Amino acid sequence: MSEECCGPDEPRKTRTIQRIELTRPRAAGGACCAPEPVHNTVPTQAHEEGDACCGPALPSKGSRGDDEHEVRPPWWRDVALLPSVLSGLFLIAGYALEWAGIELLALVLQWAALLAGAYTVVPGAFRRLIRGRLGVGLLMTIAAIGAVLLGHVGEAATLAFLFSLAEALEDRAMDQAKEGLRALLSLIPETVRVSRLAGDTTIPAADVRELDILVVGAGERVATDGVVVEGRSSLDTSAITGESIPVDVCPGTAVAAGSVNGASTLRIEATADGRDNSLTQIVSLVEQAHARKGDRARLADRIARPLVPVVLIAAALVAVFGFIVGDPATWIERALVVLVAASPCALAIAVPVTVISAIGSASKFGVVIKSGEAFEQLGTIRAVALDKTGTLTRNEPAVVDVRPAAGISRAELLTWAGAVEATSSHPLAAAITAAAPGAAAAADVVEDAGHGITGRVDGTLVRVGNARWLAPGALSSAADEMGEDGMTVVVVEAGGKIAGLIGIRDELRPESAETVRLLQDAGIGITMLTGDNERTARAIAAQAGIADVRAEQLPADKAAVIEQLATARPTAMVGDGINDAPALATATVGIAMGLKGSAAAIESADVAFTGNDLRLIPGALAHARRGRRIMTANIVLALAIIVVLFPLALFGALGLAGVVLVHEIAEVFVILNGVRAAQRPAALRARAATPEPARV
């Protein structure tokens, strides 16, 4: 029962609503063409870079079906993994036949393994080379070619297989993180009733234009941003703003696309087209954030960039030196040994083996990490932004305080209120009836949308409503006190006299304060973001122990705050609602709480928790930091092997057999060290042994 709704005699408010502004370039000449309908998938690069249209497109009716949405197959049916699998099988069979003395067939299978592995590595390496980008793929390709020229096809096949598998697994993880945002777009109805001179008519939501009058019935969603021009009701805006308490609306109140209407029909004047409103722009914000994050190079590639040209130049100089001294055969062979010595075999698996071990272990205690990049970034986090509704709180409004007037008992007050609210569809009614489960339904119930409800209980006229409709009188100071504590105050009147007050609030999770303390003890800064009003936000934050509070935040505001925080230090955003999606995508790492959260939040996040226990957050951060340390140690070891072998190969101290032996030993150490990342940190072992706090 929001206090922002105007009274019946107040003038109509200005016909504006806060909008998310995009920086999408317009087409040449400054004109914006009519956007074309798109499927419910993240746009391709070609679509994003196009300049034909300046606004995001909304799917038209008929484009929402799952039949038109590409779904990523399970790993055992993913054809992208097939070359790596075949390469591994051919390689194992080839080595087995070689050990059995069947040389020719073994060589054929090793060549098959080499070609299958190279199929996923070599084309990409050359495409990147054409674009002027050097990476691990190019170095692996050159090393494999060098091994083949020296007659060691099995070694070349091993290099190709290891790198091919690492690439395939990481690409699959990234694809999972970029799947469509169908849940966001599903909040917009396919059709909407529009008031015309000849009567109400139904049109596609995408055809709504500014100044159209929308007719929104009980339980229906608002198709686009607008202003109420007729009717009073309550709107569930939790999916858009994150506010857990329904908002009462009346003529002049601005409403956002995607809000769910309550019990009464509203007429809303559109302030935005059906294709270009606050909800469609949320989709665009998420897409843009994903596009920015997709360009970040992986850690191994960043290391390989300076390594590749150094190795190539060194090998070329060695070969040239052979011609200068008159012994080209010896020095050309030595140059190829140098290439193999510098092959990033251990480097190629240093990161994937650690990431796969850590991610697999994390999934067992309820932390789903979507990609290697997300895991790497999770270990750097120094600040955490927490959404309030559904994350810090339970998102279940409940009666938390009852203040009966003199001569009225608590049970009597709740019974009166529960009886009147028993048949109401207002979301706050559920909290009141839950507090008075034995109350029989009142008679002659009449609901006054935006104000309250009236009924007769055992012959007594009882009214239940907000403080604007029913003045608290002698309980005014108590009402103010409850409001300062973040409660929505419901006034109960019986027989023409104020019977008492009922305070309703979305309560803090039992583990929230402990989680905040654990994060602060680890030196991590905490910020709370919420669409709720300042007073409620401050009250909840004080209970949780959070000092930095940002209230009344729309989705774009949350994304802006996260961008500001992430500029100063790596920042994680934790949320569970559709309104959190842009912030989750903008953060260094987005963490979605609970698989029962919105699909958009889970798809936008880099990490998703299968449960709702907040204590997973500090545990997951500790797990990622430990894995990052192991990953760094692996990279250092892999680079150290190259640094040691390079001069030994250069000066002929080691031949190809010795170089390969050292490489294989290094790989074993890297793998064993990487597997250690699967061990749970102490915080998560304690978390696994402690059940979630019981709900009261």
Side-chain angles (χ1 to χ4, degrees):
M1 298 184 179
S2 172
E3 297 181 3
E4 283 74 21
C5 187
C6 60
D9 298 325
E10 292 185 14
R12 176 179 168 183
K13 295 181 180 178
T14 304
R15 188 175 52 81
T16 59
I17 183 171
Q18 184 169 355
R19 301 279 302 284
I20 303 173
E21 298 297 333
L22 297 179
T23 56
R24 187 184 296 272
R26 290 180 178 270
C32 181
C33 67
E36 296 294 332
V38 296
H39 302 309
N40 296 343
T41 57
V42 178
T44 62
Q45 186 68 22
H47 177 77
E48 289 178 355
E49 293 176 355
D51 59 358
C53 183
C54 59
L58 177 69
S60 61
K61 185 175 181 179
S63 67
R64 298 175 183 233
D66 291 339
D67 293 340
E68 300 183 13
H69 179 76
E70 293 186 9
V71 178
R72 184 175 48 83
W75 65 268
W76 61 87
R77 293 172 52 193
D78 191 347
V79 294
L81 296 175
L82 184 59
S84 300
V85 173
L86 290 176
S87 178
L89 293 176
F90 288 144
L91 185 63
I92 293 172
Y95 275 127
L97 290 176
E98 186 178 24
W99 293 332
I102 309 176
E103 298 291 340
L104 180 60
L105 187 55
L107 182 62
V108 171
L109 289 175
Q110 287 174 352
W111 268 105
L114 173 60
L115 294 176
Y119 174 78
T120 62
V121 177
V122 176
F126 280 108
R127 282 195 299 269
R128 295 185 65 185
L129 182 61
I130 292 172
R131 295 196 299 266
R133 298 175 62 187
L134 303 178
V136 176
L138 179 61
L139 199 56
M140 292 292 290
T141 301
I142 295 172
I145 292 173
V148 170
L149 292 177
L150 291 174
H152 295 273
V153 178
E155 172 69 10
T158 301
L159 295 176
F161 164 67
L162 289 172
F163 193 69
S164 170
L165 183 60
E167 287 278 286
L169 292 176
E170 188 159 3
D171 287 344
R172 179 175 170 83
M174 291 303 296
D175 288 341
Q176 180 182 1
K178 294 179 180 178
E179 288 182 339
L181 300 173
R182 288 172 291 173
L184 277 176
L185 295 172
S186 68
L187 287 182
I188 299 178
E190 293 187 355
T191 60
V192 61
R193 284 185 292 161
V194 178
S195 180
R196 306 292 193 201
L197 292 177
D200 294 349
T201 183
T202 300
I203 65 173
D207 293 344
V208 172
R209 295 293 177 263
E210 191 173 353
L211 302 182
D212 279 347
I213 303 299
L214 313 182
V215 181
V216 183
E220 295 180 350
R221 290 190 180 273
V222 179
T224 190
D225 303 330
V227 173
V228 178
V229 295
E230 182 181 320
R232 293 174 178 272
S233 186
S234 62
L235 292 184
D236 178 3
T237 63
S238 58
I240 310 303
T241 66
E243 180 156 356
S244 56
I245 304 298
V247 178
D248 289 333
V249 296
C250 58
T253 304
V255 298
S259 302
V260 181
N261 188 22
S264 302
T265 298
L266 295 173
R267 290 182 180 270
I268 299 172
E269 183 179 296
T271 59
D273 291 347
R275 296 180 184 268
D276 185 17
N277 54 58
S278 57
L279 192 56
T280 60
Q281 292 176 10
I282 288 176
V283 178
S284 183
L285 286 172
V286 174
E287 291 167 354
Q288 291 173 26
H290 274 311
R292 290 195 300 269
K293 296 178 76 171
D295 290 335
R296 280 202 294 249
R298 290 169 295 203
L299 180 60
D301 277 347
R302 292 199 297 271
I303 295 173
R305 285 195 187 100
L307 180 61
V308 173
V310 169
V311 172
L312 292 176
I313 293 172
L317 291 176
V318 170
V320 170
F321 180 77
F323 285 97
I324 294 175
V325 299
D327 189 9
T330 299
W331 287 96
I332 288 175
E333 182 176 351
R334 191 169 294 180
L336 294 177
V337 175
V338 166
L339 280 177
V340 176
S343 66
C345 192
L347 181 61
I349 63 174
V351 174
V353 72
T354 308
V355 169
I356 292 171
S357 298
I359 289 178
S361 173
S363 65
K364 295 178 181 178
F365 55 76
V367 178
V368 179
I369 303 173
K370 294 185 176 181
S371 69
E373 182 185 10
F375 175 75
E376 176 191 339
Q377 296 293 342
L378 190 63
T380 70
I381 295 302
R382 304 309 303 166
V384 172
L386 296 164
D387 173 54
K388 181 186 77 66
T389 305
T391 302
L392 283 170
T393 66
R394 292 173 167 173
N395 197 21
E396 297 175 0
V399 173
V400 295
D401 195 3
V402 178
R403 304 284 183 93
I408 306 294
S409 68
R410 184 182 188 277
E412 192 174 16
L413 179 65
L414 288 174
T415 299
W416 280 335
V420 174
E421 296 280 14
T423 58
S424 174
S425 60
H426 195 287
L428 293 186
I432 295 175
T433 55
D444 303 328
V445 175
V446 178
E447 191 161 355
D448 187 351
H451 288 155
I453 191 168
T454 304
R456 289 193 175 275
V457 182
D458 296 331
T460 301
L461 182 65
V462 177
R463 295 199 298 170
V464 180
N466 57 46
R468 297 182 310 279
W469 189 44
L470 300 173
L475 297 177
S476 294
S477 60
D480 292 340
E481 179 185 337
M482 294 165 72
E484 289 294 332
D485 200 23
M487 301 180 200
T488 297
V489 181
V490 176
V491 183
V492 180
E493 179 191 86
K497 296 180 180 180
I498 299 300
L501 309 174
I502 298 175
I504 299 176
R505 184 173 60 201
D506 186 12
E507 285 289 83
L508 201 69
R509 293 180 183 273
E511 74 276 12
S512 293
E514 179 187 357
T515 299
V516 170
R517 178 182 56 78
L518 290 173
L519 290 172
Q520 291 172 340
D521 290 345
I524 295 174
I526 309 294
T527 300
M528 188 180 85
L529 301 179
T530 179
D532 274 357
N533 61 75
E534 185 79 20
R535 188 166 62 178
T536 300
R538 292 287 177 187
I540 292 294
Q543 294 180 40
I546 301 174
D548 186 8
V549 180
R550 315 291 177 92
E552 301 177 8
Q553 302 284 300
L554 293 174
D557 300 326
K558 290 184 177 182
V561 170
I562 293 299
E563 187 172 1
Q564 177 187 4
L565 293 173
T567 301
R569 50 185 172 173
T571 301
M573 170 66 191
V574 185
D576 73 332
I578 288 173
N579 59 298
D580 300 322
L584 288 168
T586 303
T588 308
V589 175
I591 301 175
M593 282 297 300
L595 293 184
K596 292 184 179 179
S598 75
I602 295 171
E603 290 171 359
S604 301
D606 304 292
V607 179
F609 291 167
T610 59
N612 291 295
D613 194 326
L614 289 175
R615 291 172 295 179
L616 285 171
I617 299 173
L621 294 179
H623 183 65
R625 284 195 295 270
R626 181 174 180 273
R628 185 178 173 83
R629 289 193 298 269
I630 293 174
M631 185 168 55
T632 302
N634 270 351
I635 292 173
V636 171
L637 175 60
L639 290 176
I641 294 299
I642 294 175
V643 171
V644 170
L645 289 183
F646 190 88
L648 294 178
L650 179 63
F651 295 108
L654 275 180
L656 182 62
V659 168
V660 171
L661 178 61
V662 174
H663 264 296
E664 297 303 325
I665 294 174
E667 288 173 29
V668 172
F669 276 108
V670 166
I671 291 172
L672 292 177
N673 192 41
V675 169
R676 292 196 307 114
Q679 299 176 2
R680 300 184 187 183
L684 285 171
R685 287 197 296 269
R687 160 69 188 90
T690 306
E692 292 191 16
R695 293 194 170 191
V696 179

